[in-house]
Amino acid sequence: MSNAGLVHDEGRALVIDTMMFPEMAEGIAAELRRRGARADVVLNTHHHVDHVGGNAVFDGARLVAHPKSADAIAHPPPAAVYDSFIPAYAGRFESLDVVPPEPSLDGLDLPRDARLRSYAPAHTVADVAVWLPSSRVLFTGDLAFFGVAPLAFQGLVSSWVAALDDLLALDPAVVVPGHGPVGGTRELALVRDHLAALLAAARDDTPLLPDEVGEWLEADRIPVNLERARQEVRGEIGAADLSAIPANAGTLFH
Ligand SMILES: [Zn+2]
């Protein structure tokens, strides 16, 4: 399951992603109530359903996303696509009504010193991270996966590597990934180097050398990610058009 986060200060809070179904986001809402805080701003870091499905829980908050993510959220694939990609929850997506976010990140009044960093494209058409410079805490959304292989089939690998270079330069003390346990710069660098290795293997037409990411969960994503890097090298996709899906992406659907 995906991670979500909250940053609160003086009774108001920023919620970072809402998980996949309202009952999952209820846990975040309960924690806010326990702290006597209300959700002031809810950010969808990117358009994937496991980060936006609980949006309905935060009625009354300003719900926002990068304009490109908001557009993708407004045009979801058929429920059958989710059923086959996430079979553990098959049958649930047909009735899931995702509340669409406002397509803007402008003019937000965020708690503490939270600031947003947008990367479009990266893991998807657009991804937003949340950075707290005073505590050096970084929420990456799906710009980072720890302990579970990243999923690159809709993104642009070279831009994702550049995004991770930018995030690594912040030298965060704590990194909350989109999936997996909390980590730090070591794990962030592992993901960065793995994605860079995919791109190098695609460019040089050489095999992908084994690395730590290859031992993580969901390693069957890696051949698909490699094909994504090859698509980029062949010029089949680019920042302006990411729509062509890797030929072997079907292996991820059940
Ligand atoms: Zn994602």
Side-chain angles (χ1 to χ4, degrees):
M1 195 41 60
S2 60
N3 292 325
L6 62 90
V7 178
H8 87 104
D9 190 21
E10 306 280 333
R12 61 197 196 91
L14 163 67
V15 173
I16 303 159
D17 284 337
T18 64
M19 308 186 78
M20 196 157 65
F21 296 110
E23 77 266 22
M24 298 175 180
E26 281 295 348
I28 307 166
E31 181 61 21
L32 284 171
R33 285 193 295 273
R34 194 183 70 76
R35 297 178 185 215
R38 67 182 163 81
D40 201 34
V41 176
V42 177
L43 168 72
N44 291 149
T45 60
H46 65 294
H47 75 274
H48 282 159
V49 68
D50 53 328
H51 298 259
V52 308
N55 282 356
V57 167
F58 302 99
D59 200 21
R62 187 169 168 198
L63 173 64
V64 299
H66 187 285
K68 289 184 174 178
S69 303
D71 183 62
I73 292 166
H75 301 95
V81 172
Y82 292 141
D83 286 347
S84 68
F85 190 69
I86 315 171
Y89 292 93
R92 288 287 319 272
F93 298 101
E94 187 68 51
S95 60
L96 176 65
D97 274 326
V98 176
V99 176
E102 179 188 334
S104 172
L105 300 172
D106 297 333
L108 299 176
D109 182 18
L110 301 177
R112 297 183 183 255
D113 57 349
R115 50 194 71 172
L116 307 183
R117 300 178 79 88
S118 296
Y119 305 94
H123 157 71
T124 61
V125 65
D127 296 85
V128 179
V130 178
W131 170 233
L132 292 139
S134 61
S135 50
R136 292 175 50 233
V137 173
L138 176 67
F139 294 87
T140 66
D142 279 2
L143 290 163
F145 291 62
F146 295 163
V148 50
L151 186 67
F153 80 108
Q154 290 182 311
L156 192 67
V157 177
S158 63
S159 298
W160 192 350
V161 171
L164 290 173
D165 282 336
D166 188 65
L167 294 177
L168 279 161
L170 299 171
D171 192 27
V174 176
V175 179
V176 184
H179 296 266
V182 170
T185 51
R186 190 189 89 86
E187 291 80 9
L188 201 56
L190 282 175
V191 178
R192 184 260 174 227
D193 290 349
H194 175 81
L195 294 171
L198 289 175
L199 208 52
R203 269 194 194 121
D204 304 340
D205 198 22
T206 53
L208 184 68
L209 297 176
D211 65 6
E212 197 170 323
V213 174
E215 296 163 18
W216 290 355
L217 298 173
E218 311 274 6
D220 60 339
R221 293 171 173 176
I222 294 173
V224 178
N225 295 342
L226 178 58
E227 184 56 28
R228 188 61 168 175
R230 290 189 180 122
Q231 281 189 294
E232 182 178 346
V233 168
R234 289 193 299 259
E236 296 168 9
I237 55 164
D241 186 359
L242 295 164
S243 57
I245 293 299
N248 58 354
T251 59
L252 300 178
F253 293 82
H254 307 277

